[in-house]
Amino acid sequence: MVDAAPVTPTPKKTAKAATAAFESAMPKFEMPKFEVPKFDVASAVEVPAVVREMAEKSVQNARETYEKFKANAEETTDLLEDTYSTASRGLAEYNTAALESLRTNVNAAFDYMGALFGAKSVSEAVELSTGHLRKQFDVLSSQAKELSTLAQKVAADTAEPIKASVEKTIKKAS
């Protein structure tokens, strides 16, 4: 006869056997099942008519205020665009006049220098200088007056849309 050596169980088999013995010894428990009743907010909470009316009026007032704000913002944007374009046109016109004045003055200076270098005597050079200074004084005075008038026109044209908007706003408020 052959002697049988005892077989030692593996840890995995031991754990399975222990789990099976525990489960068979313990009664099975199940969690109780509760049914949650359906809850209808509209029927459960009745909002008083006064509160509902106040909420509706508040929403309506908010909408009206938003519409007014939006309209005012659009008007202001249009006003700023008009003002900017008017100022840009006026500035371009002013710059053109200033450059034309500069061109005239530079040409006059070159003409004066050419005439001065062609002078035959000191008295002729003094006479040329005196004539040139008188002429340039008159030209510069005229140019300054023209540029000043143009600057005032640009400022008035630029301010006109703003002035009209302020007057319109004051009339609306009163």
Side-chain angles (χ1 to χ4, degrees), residues 12 25 31 51 75 87 92 99 104 107-108 113-114 119 124 126 147:
K12 208 177 212 182
M31 289 296 290
V51 174
E75 285 179 20
L99 286 173
T104 302
N107 287 339
M113 290 306 287
E124 188 179 345
V126 169
L147 289 175

Side-chain angles (χ1 to χ4, degrees), residues 70-169:
K70 182 180 171 188
N72 287 337
E74 289 171 352
E75 285 179 20
T76 302
T77 301
D78 292 343
L79 170 71
L80 291 175
E81 287 173 356
D82 291 346
T83 302
Y84 178 76
S85 66
T86 302
S88 294
R89 284 191 306 270
L91 192 57
E93 187 178 343
Y94 183 87
N95 285 341
T96 302
L99 286 173
E100 182 60 30
S101 296
L102 177 66
R103 187 188 63 78
T104 302
N105 294 338
V106 168
N107 287 339
F110 280 131
D111 291 344
Y112 165 69
M113 290 306 287
L116 190 61
F117 285 135
K120 306 259 189 244
S121 66
V122 173
S123 63
E124 188 179 345
V126 169
E127 187 179 324
L128 280 171
S129 295
T130 305
H132 174 72
L133 287 175
R134 268 193 221 121
K135 183 179 174 187
Q136 278 306 106
F137 180 78
D138 292 341
V139 168
L140 288 174
S141 296
S142 171
Q143 289 172 345
K145 186 176 181 180
E146 177 188 348
L147 289 175
S148 173
T149 303
L150 189 54
Q152 289 174 352
K153 178 185 176 285
V154 168
D157 289 349
T158 301
E160 185 58 38
I162 296 171
K163 179 182 170 189
S165 176
V166 168
E167 288 174 357
K168 181 180 172 184
T169 304

